[in-house]
């Protein structure tokens, strides 16, 4: 029980860490190359992070959780110029819900409103377990995901992703990992000097989920393009 309480405290601390302070409201100050760099950082930070193992929840199962991800900015000076504040990382807290459906299909949704900024984010996933997994076999699944930025008047940004993942449970522990691709579409709004940027980035992630009865904890490391992210989620599974 002491381990459980300690891990819960760590997860809640991750959600309550100071977040980026500052509205992204000065994109017009960027050159086109710098707008591309900003788009790459935001695409990595705001793309969908699974924070869940591959095995399907089942038709009666669902997972409700709170999470936080921290992405190290590769171009922090550009982020500062755009109005985002003088920070080296973007921390995104979120609410998440995953629900199991028939035939090895899971759906998930997430919502984030980053305090002290104009960054809001909605996203979702659809995952299909090619192999559901069992006592002797891992679960293997394919996922499609989508996120959309809102609240930033000068920017329209969305990401689309696809990944192949695998997980295998051992007692209370379920390690998982995957590889995939993320497509980013970033459009300046009301800034004639800048043009839309569309590009793709490779993605790789690994994580560990731990079950404590109805409570589960997930920790995940992600690399999308050149940017690294780390996340934690406290969830309740039924």
């Amino acid at each position: 029980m002491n381990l459980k309480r300690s891990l819960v405290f760590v997860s809640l601390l991750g959600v309550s860490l100071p977040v980026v302070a500052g509205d992204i409201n000065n994109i017009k100050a960027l050159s086109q190359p710098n707008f591309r760099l900003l788009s790459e950082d935001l695409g990595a930070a705001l793309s969908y992070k699974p924070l869940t193992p591959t095995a399907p929840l089942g038709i009666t199962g669902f997972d409700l959780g709170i999470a936080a991800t921290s992405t190290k900015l590769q171009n922090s000076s550009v982020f500062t110029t755009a109005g985002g504040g003088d920070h080296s990382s973007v921390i995104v807290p979120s609410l998440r819900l995953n629900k199991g459906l028939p035939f090895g299909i899971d759906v998930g949704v997430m919502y984030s409103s980053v305090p002290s900024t104009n960054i809001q984010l909605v996203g979702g996933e659809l995952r299909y377990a090619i192999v559901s997994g069992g006592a002797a076999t891992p679960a293997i699944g394919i996922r499609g995901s989508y996120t959309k930025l809102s609240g930033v008047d000068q920017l329209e940004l969305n990401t689309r992703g696809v990944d192949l993942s695998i997980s295998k449970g051992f007692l209370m522990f379920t390690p998982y990992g995957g590889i995939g691709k993320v497509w980013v579409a970033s459009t300046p709004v009301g800034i004639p000097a800048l043009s839309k940027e569309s590009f793709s980035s490779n993605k790789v992630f690994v994580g560990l989920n731990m079950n404590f009865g109805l409570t589960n904890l997930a920790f995940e490391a992600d690399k999308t393009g050149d940017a690294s992210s780390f996340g934690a989620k406290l969830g309740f599974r039924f």
Side-chain angles (χ1 to χ4, degrees):
M1 289 299 293
N2 288 335
L3 173 62
K4 177 180 176 180
R5 284 194 292 268
S6 298
L7 291 173
V8 169
F9 174 77
V10 169
S11 293
L12 291 174
L13 178 62
V15 173
S16 64
L17 284 172
V19 295
V20 176
D23 289 347
I24 300 175
N25 57 11
N26 196 32
I27 291 175
K28 61 182 179 294
L30 302 179
S31 64
Q32 189 67 40
N34 280 347
F35 178 66
R36 170 61 180 255
L37 295 176
L38 175 69
S39 301
E40 290 177 356
D41 274 343
L42 289 178
L46 304 180
S47 59
Y48 195 85
K49 309 298 189 294
L51 288 166
T52 188
T54 307
L57 289 168
I59 188 171
T60 62
F62 69 89
D63 184 344
L64 175 66
I66 55 176
T69 60
S70 176
T71 303
K72 183 173 178 57
L73 294 168
Q74 299 300 294
N75 309 280
S76 57
S77 62
V78 175
F79 188 78
T80 300
T81 300
D86 185 13
H87 296 273
S88 61
S89 299
V90 174
I91 299 176
V92 180
S94 61
L95 296 173
R96 291 170 172 260
L97 175 65
N98 289 79
K99 178 69 180 74
L101 299 176
F103 312 114
I105 296 173
D106 283 15
V107 295
V109 293
M110 59 84 66
Y111 170 76
S112 175
S113 179
V114 180
S116 302
T117 78
N118 55 354
I119 296 175
Q120 298 179 38
L121 186 70
V122 294
E125 68 162 289
L126 179 66
R127 186 172 76 252
Y128 171 64
I130 303 169
V131 178
S132 295
T137 58
I140 301 173
I142 186 168
R143 175 190 356 257
S145 62
Y146 178 82
T147 63
K148 181 176 177 59
L149 171 70
S150 62
V152 180
D153 294 338
Q154 296 182 5
L155 181 64
E156 293 180 354
L157 184 143
N158 67 74
T159 75
R160 294 170 291 119
V162 62
D163 66 71
L164 181 69
S165 65
I166 185 170
S167 70
K168 179 68 177 74
F170 301 93
L171 300 176
M172 60 185 284
F173 302 102
T174 304
Y176 64 92
I179 57 173
K181 199 95 169 176
V182 174
W183 291 266
V184 179
S186 178
T187 306
V189 177
I191 308 174
L194 297 178
S195 301
K196 178 179 179 179
E197 293 283 353
S198 298
F199 54 91
S200 63
S201 300
N202 293 324
K203 174 186 180 71
V204 60
F205 61 94
V206 294
L208 177 66
N209 190 83
M210 294 173 283
N211 284 311
F212 304 93
L214 297 179
T215 304
N216 73 286
L217 294 167
F219 298 92
E220 184 174 293
D222 174 287
K223 188 174 180 64
T224 299
D226 293 327
S228 298
S229 302
F230 297 93
K233 186 187 77 171
L234 169 64
F236 302 92
R237 289 195 170 201
F238 297 89

